[in-house]
Each structure stands twice: as structure tokens, then as C-alpha cells.
Amino acid sequence: QAQLVESGGGLVQAGGSLRLSCAASGRTVITKTIAWFRQAPGKEREFVAGINWFGGSTEYADFVKGRFTISRDNTNTLNLQMNSLKPEDTAVYYCAAAPRTSLKIVQTSPLAYDTWGQGTQVTVSS
């Protein structure tokens, strides 16, 4: 089973950028969909972006399209480049893995994900 460790969170001013990384261990990562979710205080956990490790198909939430980019590399690391950050992007960001069910479709429900990282805090000041 894949294990996930996030890094890269922090404090940034509105309009700035941050890059989150998720180190995935385990031989089965190629069979997974890996995604970023976020949860702000008092709100439900929501899908941000995801990628099918094999094939590379991606999915983005509407509120991050054009600002965030998800990618993976050959060191089993998932990255989330976040540009033009807004105060409403403030949340704890989680990396999660799910069994891949389709080469083209990235699942967006947190219920589909069975492995989670510990989370990393992103704070955007106005």
C-alpha cells in the first residue's frame, strides 16, 4: 500500500506562489490515482486536483483551473504548483491515493481515496 508524505506548505501573501510535494512510497503507486484535497476550518474536505499515475490524465477543481498545476516525476513525487494564491486558498492540503478505476477519469470524491498523508498547512494573507 502506498504511503504519502506532504511537504512545502507555508505562509504566503495573496498573489504569491507555493509548491507542494507529496512523496509516495510503495510499488503500487503506478496503479493509483493520486490527488490533492484541502480542508479549511469549518468546511468539508474538497478536491483540488488529481492525476492518474499511469497515463497522466488530470482533473482540476474549477476554482483552481489556470492557477494550479499538478504533476508527477520519476521519483514517485507528486507536485502541486500553486500560483496566484488567494486568501480563500487557505487550508490544510492533503495528498491522497485511490485505486485507479479508469485511465482517463480522476475520481474527485474523498470517499474513493483510501490512503492519506498527514496534511500541510497553506496560509495566504491578504
Side-chain angles (χ1 to χ4, degrees):
Q1 185 174 2
Q3 293 182 328
L4 308 170
V5 179
E6 303 100 331
S7 62
L11 173 65
V12 65
Q13 289 187 334
S17 299
L18 280 175
R19 184 178 179 88
L20 303 183
S21 294
C22 173
S25 61
R27 297 181 178 180
T28 61
V29 66
I30 196 172
T31 67
K32 303 292 186 182
T33 296
I34 312 290
W36 288 98
F37 288 79
R38 70 186 188 185
Q39 188 165 19
K43 295 188 177 181
E44 293 186 353
R45 191 166 297 190
E46 61 182 357
F47 176 84
V48 176
I51 187 168
N52 280 327
W53 204 269
F54 181 82
S57 55
T58 59
E59 181 72 35
Y60 293 90
D62 287 343
F63 54 79
V64 302
K65 285 182 179 178
R67 300 190 298 126
F68 292 9
T69 302
I70 193 170
S71 63
R72 72 204 189 301
D73 64 27
N74 58 9
T75 65
N76 282 3
T77 299
L78 179 76
N79 298 302
L80 185 69
Q81 179 65 40
M82 305 187 295
N83 299 327
S84 301
L85 283 162
K86 305 174 181 180
E88 51 264 44
D89 293 318
T90 295
V92 177
Y93 283 70
Y94 297 91
C95 181
R100 188 187 68 236
T101 58
S102 166
L103 286 177
K104 294 185 177 181
I105 297 173
V106 173
Q107 300 179 82
T108 60
S109 169
L111 298 177
Y113 291 77
D114 57 7
T115 303
W116 294 83
Q118 80 286 356
T120 186
Q121 177 70 46
V122 171
T123 303
V124 184
S125 63
S126 57

